[in-house]
Amino acid sequence: MAIPATLREYLRACDIDYEEVQHPHEVNASRVAQQSHITGEQLAKAVMLHGRSGYRLAVLPSSCDADLDSLSQLFDEPMELATEDEIISRFRDCDPGATIPVGQAYGLQVYVDDMLRHQPDIYFDAGDHETLLHMSGNEFEKLMGNSPHCQFSRHH
């Protein structure tokens, strides 16, 4: 599968410099990192959250879990993980389970974990289970723009 049009157009509009990195079909983030010879801290994953005020996207290193208690405090409302059906309905042009961290392209407010902010290189799922997007940490910062950031992850 090619990069979803929604993502490709958003990257073009933001003038982001990136490269596509192919890997064998894999859904497990730690195995993707292993196959791609990168660390879990460099591989960003997206976790879609649901609260009373709607959906949000938390972006964090794949080697970590989202701390729902911290996120609930941050948003001042109870947060829970979105269901697979909720994710599929928002990311219609992505393969199920291949949620991308560029939620802005899909109308979601994005929050970035501080652990991603100083990585020299960032990789993330391109919307399928066979392609990563790679960009410099500076390009990732540019892509995330004004997205709020804080510490909300914990190592698993």
Side-chain angles (χ1 to χ4, degrees):
M1 177 181 163
I3 296 176
T6 307
L7 174 59
R8 189 179 299 281
E9 292 304 315
Y10 189 82
L11 292 170
R12 185 177 299 131
C14 293
D15 193 29
I16 300 298
D17 186 26
Y18 67 93
E19 69 172 339
E20 296 179 36
V21 178
Q22 301 299 314
H23 62 82
H25 184 87
E26 182 58 66
V27 296
N28 179 286
S30 58
R31 285 203 291 272
V32 169
Q34 226 173 18
Q35 289 173 348
S36 303
H37 308 290
I38 59 175
T39 68
E41 284 76 32
Q42 293 174 298
L43 181 59
K45 71 176 178 183
V47 177
M48 193 164 127
L49 305 167
H50 185 229
R52 287 188 307 269
S53 61
Y55 296 101
R56 296 181 172 97
L57 200 68
V59 180
L60 61 156
S62 68
S63 57
C64 298
D65 291 321
D67 183 338
L68 290 177
D69 291 336
S70 294
L71 288 161
S72 296
Q73 287 177 348
L74 174 69
F75 302 135
D76 199 29
E77 67 177 286
M79 298 306 294
E80 55 188 43
L81 298 175
T83 66
E84 192 67 29
D85 287 343
E86 290 170 322
I87 296 167
I88 290 168
S89 71
R90 179 63 66 136
F91 292 90
R92 293 182 189 278
D93 57 356
C94 296
D95 286 350
T99 309
I100 59 171
V102 191
Q104 306 92 317
Y106 294 85
L108 290 169
Q109 175 63 59
V110 175
Y111 296 82
V112 181
D113 189 83
D114 284 338
M115 289 179 67
L116 290 172
R117 299 202 63 227
H118 304 291
Q119 292 293 334
D121 291 280
I122 296 286
Y123 297 79
F124 57 84
D125 213 326
D128 64 15
H129 297 291
E130 296 165 0
T131 312
L132 293 177
L133 294 187
H134 167 232
M135 62 187 63
S136 71
N138 290 339
E139 286 295 293
F140 185 72
E141 284 283 320
K142 178 177 151 186
L143 177 62
M144 291 295 119
N146 296 326
S147 297
H149 58 86
C150 61
Q151 177 73 42
F152 56 77
S153 68
R154 54 179 165 28
H155 283 281
H156 16 200

